Amino acid sequence: PLNASRFPAPVASMTGFSSAGRSLPGLALTIELRSVNSRFLDLSLRVPDELRHFEAALREGVGARLQRGKVECRVALQRQPGVEPPRLNAPVLAQLEQLDIQVRTRLPGAVPLSVADVLHWPGVLDLRETDAEALREALLAALADSLDGLQSSRQREGEALRQTLLERCTGIVRIAQTLRPRIPEMLAQAERKLSERLNQALGAALQGGNVSREELAERVRQEVTLYGLRVDVDEELKRLLTHVDEVRRVLAAGGGVGRRLDFLMQELNREANTLGSKATAVDLTQAAVELKMLIEQMREQIQNLE
């Protein structure tokens, strides 16, 4: 049997567009899907009045395929010319006529409804002659095609975002690997400067006879040791690289990675902030700034991932 781990699920963006259509005798159906990023699945339907009773089926079809994103679904229904003359829905037309009379009675300056206004009013064109089951099948088939196209669009962008994130991971690793061999040198340099300042500051106490030379040396040693522990960033760099490995693992596994990666960005940013707060050299400060910039770039891209 095939090993499923060799075939990771694609990473999908939440941004995409697709359209699909179906034809019935005398009718043309079109479905457009547009999606942008959102924390949850937020579906907005724009459906002709004649198809309102299919809304539940449309919502179920979209919800079965998409997990996140602000999705707009537009359904258009057009009569094909030259096939069969459309029929007017007499009750709806009569109701519209009464509304028009009432409005112009209250507002004499109101413009009467035009023929185009009437024909575009929901429910005026009667679709009762169309087989409901055939209409439902055509609608759901068009939805399935449009969802396929939307998913393909989102996956293409998702793959581009995956590559962008992996490039940023490489940048973070490069910075960390450049810093790690230099940490002992930078730490020793910072400790030497501190030791010199402490010796100068405590020299007056030695001259006054308040402390012995041995006591002074021990005090300086203790302070330098504590300072070294506070500014040592080796552990932060190790955790930074561990988080990067996890980001790469999540991207390799694929699927719905957005929330997991968003959490990992928080962890990466925490390590970068700690690194900056412990900086004892210009190089370390600059590295912390570059790391935060790369992490922020990743965080912005991850907001678009499903």
Side-chain angles (χ1 to χ4, degrees), residues 17-24 26-34 44-52 54-55 58 72-80 120 125 127 135 138-140 142-143 146:
F17 170 83
S18 180
S19 65
R22 282 291 188 279
S23 296
L24 288 168
L27 292 175
L29 271 171
T30 304
I31 293 183
E32 284 188 358
L33 291 173
R34 305 169 185 265
S44 171
L45 289 176
R46 296 191 178 185
V47 183
D49 188 65
E50 297 87 349
L51 303 178
R52 291 289 181 194
F54 293 129
E55 279 196 11
L58 289 170
E72 181 181 350
C73 175
R74 295 187 178 188
V75 181
L77 182 65
Q78 292 181 331
R79 290 280 185 173
Q80 295 177 346
H120 282 88
L125 293 179
L127 295 181
L135 188 57
L139 184 66
L140 294 182
L143 177 65
S146 191

Side-chain angles (χ1 to χ4, degrees), residues 4-181:
S5 64
R6 293 174 56 195
F7 302 94
V11 172
S13 166
M14 286 185 282
T15 303
F17 170 83
S18 180
S19 65
R22 282 291 188 279
S23 296
L24 288 168
L27 292 175
L29 271 171
T30 304
I31 293 183
E32 284 188 358
L33 291 173
R34 305 169 185 265
S35 70
V36 294
N37 61 309
S38 176
R39 291 184 63 192
F40 307 100
L41 179 60
D42 180 7
L43 175 60
S44 171
L45 289 176
R46 296 191 178 185
V47 183
D49 188 65
E50 297 87 349
L51 303 178
R52 291 289 181 194
H53 52 292
F54 293 129
E55 279 196 11
L58 289 170
R59 289 187 179 277
E60 182 179 352
V62 172
R65 298 282 299 277
L66 306 178
Q67 285 74 50
R68 296 179 67 191
K70 183 176 177 62
V71 181
E72 181 181 350
C73 175
R74 295 187 178 188
V75 181
L77 182 65
Q78 292 181 331
R79 290 280 185 173
Q80 295 177 346
V83 178
E84 180 183 346
R87 300 186 180 187
L88 296 176
N89 188 324
V92 174
L93 187 61
Q95 184 183 33
L96 187 58
E97 180 184 17
Q98 290 301 315
L99 290 173
D100 180 55
I101 293 172
Q102 292 175 26
V103 169
R104 287 191 290 114
T105 299
R106 297 288 298 274
L107 303 172
V111 178
L113 290 172
S114 67
V115 173
D117 294 333
V118 172
L119 293 179
H120 282 88
W121 189 266
V124 166
L125 293 179
D126 194 353
L127 295 181
R128 288 180 297 176
E129 301 300 323
T130 303
D131 181 78
E133 186 58 32
L135 188 57
R136 173 187 170 86
E137 291 179 0
L139 184 66
L140 294 182
L143 177 65
D145 288 349
S146 191
L147 283 167
D148 287 342
L150 182 68
Q151 286 290 65
S152 296
S153 172
R154 287 164 56 132
Q155 288 171 8
R156 286 192 298 273
E157 183 166 338
E159 180 57 31
L161 291 177
R162 187 213 295 260
Q163 295 304 320
T164 298
L165 292 173
L166 290 174
E167 290 172 5
R168 300 300 185 274
C169 285
T170 300
I172 292 173
V173 170
R174 185 182 300 115
I175 292 172
Q177 289 179 341
T178 301
L179 284 177
R180 289 191 72 183

